[in-house]
């Protein structure tokens, strides 16, 4: 599954939240998405009109998060575009071979699912206020970083 980073200098006015009692992520305000990219029990919501990732949502119990020291790399504001033909209304699994692990840093408040180690040829793009996606040099999604508001 390939992605394209589009540097636009703009981000969506959306905020990722983590609902402690529900043990889940959700975006606020809600956005319309009709393609989902599944990672573990979480989803990246994609709008088929422009094929851009709009939100991150789903179940992720804090008990499954590994403690780590997390500081995302510098990122540019922009969009993350899903490349290829994907039918609206369906979910496509990204982590088919091995479920991605989740990490959390209590000090910084950052959550990361995927590979938290950032390399100099990775591309990091901030797509909403408190969410960064990282794509590697083969244009595959490597990780999703969220600094959620806990509710």
């Amino acid at each position: 599954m390939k992605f394209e980073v589009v540097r636009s200098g703009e981000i969506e006015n959306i905020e990722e939240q983590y609902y402690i009692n529900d043990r889940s992520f959700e975006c606020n305000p809600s956005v319309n998405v009709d393609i989902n990219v599944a990672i573990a029990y979480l989803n990246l919501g994609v709008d088929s009109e422009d094929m851009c990732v709009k939100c991150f949502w789903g179940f992720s119990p804090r008990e499954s998060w590994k403690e780590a020291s997390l500081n995302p790399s510098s990122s540019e504001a922009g969009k993350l575009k899903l490349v290829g033909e994907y039918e609206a209304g369906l979910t496509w699994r990204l982590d088919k071979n091995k479920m991605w692990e989740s990490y959390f840093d209590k000090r910084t408040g950052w959550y990361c699912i995927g590979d938290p180690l950032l390399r100099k040829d990775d591309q990091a793009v901030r797509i909403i206020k408190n969410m960064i996606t990282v794509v590697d040099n083969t244009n595959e999604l490597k990780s999703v970083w969220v600094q959620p508001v806990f509710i």
Side-chain angles (χ1 to χ4, degrees):
M1 194 173 289
K2 302 290 184 180
F3 291 86
E4 176 188 355
V5 170
V6 179
R7 290 174 177 81
S8 66
E10 298 176 7
I11 59 173
E12 299 285 338
N13 190 25
I14 298 168
E15 179 178 76
E16 284 295 328
Q17 299 175 333
Y18 183 82
Y19 290 85
I20 296 168
N21 290 339
D22 295 337
R23 298 161 37 176
S24 65
F25 288 95
E26 193 66 56
C27 65
N28 184 30
S30 295
V31 293
N32 292 326
V33 296
D34 53 1
I35 297 173
N36 287 298
V37 176
I39 307 166
Y41 298 105
L42 296 163
N43 295 276
L44 285 174
V46 177
D47 182 348
S48 65
E49 293 291 317
D50 61 6
M51 295 304 285
C52 289
V53 173
K54 303 293 185 184
C55 65
F56 182 68
W57 63 275
F59 182 70
S60 182
R62 291 178 73 180
E63 298 82 10
S64 68
W65 301 355
K66 295 182 177 182
E67 287 186 34
S69 178
L70 299 174
N71 281 307
S73 67
S74 61
S75 59
E76 294 186 51
K79 298 179 184 301
L80 185 66
K81 192 171 192 173
L82 179 61
V83 177
E85 297 293 322
Y86 294 91
E87 187 178 341
L90 297 178
T91 298
W92 307 87
R93 178 149 297 282
L94 184 68
D95 59 346
K96 293 178 191 172
N97 299 328
K98 183 177 186 256
M99 191 178 292
W100 287 12
E101 294 185 340
S102 294
Y103 304 89
F104 184 69
D105 187 331
K106 291 179 191 174
R107 185 181 55 78
T108 64
W110 280 101
Y111 165 90
C112 174
I113 185 165
D115 185 353
L117 301 176
L118 302 173
R119 291 166 184 75
K120 66 180 176 182
D121 57 349
D122 291 340
Q123 297 180 72
V125 61
R126 182 177 300 267
I127 60 174
I128 62 175
K129 287 188 212 178
N130 56 347
M131 183 172 129
I132 297 169
T133 55
V134 179
V135 175
D136 68 16
N137 64 357
T138 65
N139 294 326
E140 293 188 5
L141 187 66
K142 178 177 177 173
S143 57
V144 177
W145 295 68
V146 179
Q147 194 175 36
V149 173
F150 287 88
I151 295 178

